[in-house]
Amino acid sequence: MAAMSKDKFIVAIENLRESTTARVLNTPVGTLRRETSAEREAKGSCLVSRVTFKAPTESGARDLILHAVKDLGSGEEIFTIPAIEDVHAQWIGPRAHVSEQEPEPKIPESKRFERLKEEVQNPITLLYVHGAGLAFQSPNLDHQLTILPSWAANINYDIVPSDPPGYQAGFPTDDVRPSKSPRGNYYCETSILYHSLVCAIAAKDWRRCPPIYIAMGSKERIIDAGRVSV
């Protein structure tokens, strides 16, 4: 296969950016969130058993996180304390001897889980958690380090537009954005944007941190941010 020329690649990126952002530019954040997190049928060789972990009545886990935020911060951070909610997850496993368009079996979730266990051929287990239910914010590189050269230099090669749609004038609003307690970032209030639990490069000491896998393309706009971080 012949390599794509530089000019054709740039045109392809522009077309892809236009096709993927056209709806984003005109759709409220809440609508997009509901659409992208909507339940989808698992067809073919993938067997899924859905489960909901009910929110605990005690607040111990949240209290530990809040303590870490306070301990690692300056004391000047202002943020909304989140509610403790149910976590929706999926057990995912193989499904042998079916076509790729085979619909999901119409059986209770408990029966699906039993069938999933019967199909398993190795000990690898996947637990898919919707959204960020059990995850901390990943190291945030794309907002804090946009002053570095690659942010401007790679604009023709990256699908990421210059400014997120939600920050542009005239963007449609809803009950999600703008937030009821105004903030300058999608993920958190501005005052905590440089907290080490939000922005990894703000950490003074990375010892005892869990392993972090960072993968970036050589022409991504945030490639310099990744290099600075690592």
Side-chain angles (χ1 to χ4, degrees):
M1 182 181 293
M4 183 181 294
S5 69
K6 178 180 177 180
D7 291 340
K8 288 184 177 180
F9 183 76
I10 291 175
V11 171
I13 289 294
E14 291 176 348
N15 291 336
L16 183 60
R17 185 185 295 168
E18 181 178 350
S19 64
T20 56
T21 59
R23 176 160 171 71
V24 175
L25 288 171
N26 298 288
T27 307
V29 173
T31 301
L32 290 173
R33 186 173 68 177
R34 287 187 291 271
E35 290 179 355
T36 56
S37 62
E39 194 70 63
R40 292 175 175 80
E41 183 179 8
K43 295 182 178 181
S45 59
C46 181
L47 186 60
V48 172
S49 176
R50 297 165 182 82
V51 63
T52 298
F53 299 107
K54 292 296 184 180
T57 55
E58 67 278 1
S59 61
R62 183 179 61 183
D63 294 342
L64 287 174
I65 295 174
L66 294 177
H67 178 76
V69 171
K70 180 180 179 180
D71 188 51
L72 296 173
S74 65
E76 299 178 356
E77 295 84 6
I78 300 174
F79 59 94
T80 302
I81 298 178
I84 301 176
E85 300 182 353
D86 297 345
V87 174
H88 305 286
Q90 297 176 346
W91 294 106
I92 304 174
R95 187 183 179 197
H97 311 301
V98 296
S99 70
E100 289 303 314
Q101 296 302 316
E102 183 75 15
E104 287 191 53
K106 304 300 181 182
I107 56 178
E109 292 296 338
S110 58
K111 296 293 184 181
R112 292 191 197 207
F113 186 67
E114 292 301 319
R115 183 177 295 185
L116 187 151
K117 290 193 295 183
E118 293 172 0
E119 294 267 11
V120 169
Q121 300 297 318
N122 59 60
I124 297 176
T125 302
L126 300 179
L127 177 61
Y128 176 77
V129 181
H130 293 267
L134 291 180
F136 289 105
Q137 171 67 27
S138 300
N140 197 337
L141 308 176
D142 52 345
H143 292 291
Q144 286 86 341
L145 296 178
T146 56
I147 61 173
L148 296 177
S150 65
W151 184 254
N154 291 342
I155 190 170
N156 290 328
Y157 309 104
D158 198 321
I159 192 175
V160 177
S162 296
D163 297 302
Y167 298 112
Q168 298 181 16
F171 185 78
T173 62
D174 63 359
D175 59 331
V176 174
R177 179 107 183 145
S179 58
K180 295 300 182 291
S181 297
R183 59 179 184 262
N185 189 277
Y186 271 112
Y187 305 107
C188 61
E189 282 81 355
T190 306
S191 67
I192 204 171
L193 194 58
Y194 291 92
H195 191 286
S196 59
L197 291 181
V198 177
C199 177
I201 63 172
K204 297 179 180 179
D205 188 346
W206 281 39
R207 287 177 297 180
R208 299 177 64 187
C209 287
I212 299 176
Y213 176 70
I214 300 176
M216 297 183 191
S218 61
K219 289 296 184 180
E220 285 195 56
R221 303 186 70 190
I222 59 171
I223 185 65
D224 284 347
R227 289 166 175 158
V228 168
S229 298
V230 299

